[in-house]
Amino acid sequence: MACSYFHISRKCNYAVRALMVLAEDTSGQAINVRYISESRKIPLRFLEIILNELKQGGIVRSVRGKAGGYILSREATELTLGEVICFLEKYESVQKDEVTPGELPICNVLSKANMAVGSILEGVTIADLVKDL
């Protein structure tokens, strides 16, 4: 039986799915929030909050007006899955001086696992995800 140790939040999952919609479009035009919501089955209100957060993080840009919506702030080939997850989940590392001596061995192992996962996520771009559809 396989065991999964790494999970992302629903918010993060929705964000990545929305970014994939933006990456699929090569026209350079803004994509309407309602279209993103319907095409990826993401609750509209939740998506609006997520996109606003991604905008604050410089991951997407918004365009106002009738033809408004969202576009990626940079090429999908330059935006990594690791960057998106790290920004949305706001991971913080635990300092060794914050750990009791009995916790140190497990913290060292988990730190190595975290670095391995991070390395993989930093090697996968949003464009790679779109390519794998």
Side-chain angles (χ1 to χ4, degrees):
M1 175 158 109
C3 185
S4 176
Y5 295 104
F6 183 76
H7 298 284
I8 61 172
S9 66
R10 181 169 290 162
K11 175 174 93 169
C12 206
N13 184 306
Y14 287 160
V16 171
R17 289 165 42 193
L19 292 172
M20 290 172 65
V21 172
L22 299 178
E24 288 172 332
D25 182 69
T26 57
S27 71
Q29 301 295 314
I31 305 295
N32 181 284
V33 178
R34 188 170 305 292
Y35 173 78
I36 299 169
S37 170
E38 291 171 358
S39 68
R40 289 295 194 264
K41 307 282 190 273
I42 304 169
L44 182 61
R45 183 67 187 126
F46 200 28
L47 179 60
E48 290 170 340
I49 293 167
I50 292 167
L51 288 170
N52 188 46
E53 193 171 337
L54 291 173
K55 178 183 164 188
Q56 291 172 359
I59 295 171
V60 299
R61 290 186 293 129
S62 65
V63 176
R64 292 180 161 229
K66 185 174 180 166
Y70 287 86
I71 57 176
L72 294 175
S73 291
R74 59 185 186 277
E75 296 295 320
T77 56
E78 299 171 9
L79 181 60
T80 70
L81 189 54
E83 178 183 354
V84 174
I85 292 172
C86 233
F87 171 72
L88 289 173
E89 301 293 349
K90 295 174 180 46
Y91 288 113
E92 296 178 14
S93 62
V94 175
Q95 300 301 317
K96 285 189 178 183
D97 60 344
E98 298 172 357
V99 178
T100 64
E103 294 174 310
L104 194 54
I106 189 71
C107 285
N108 288 339
V109 171
L110 293 176
S111 178
K112 289 177 187 176
N114 190 37
M115 288 185 343
V117 169
S119 177
I120 292 167
L121 295 176
E122 286 299 326
V124 177
T125 66
I126 299 299
D128 293 331
L129 297 175
V130 170
K131 206 171 25 177
D132 289 343
L133 281 178

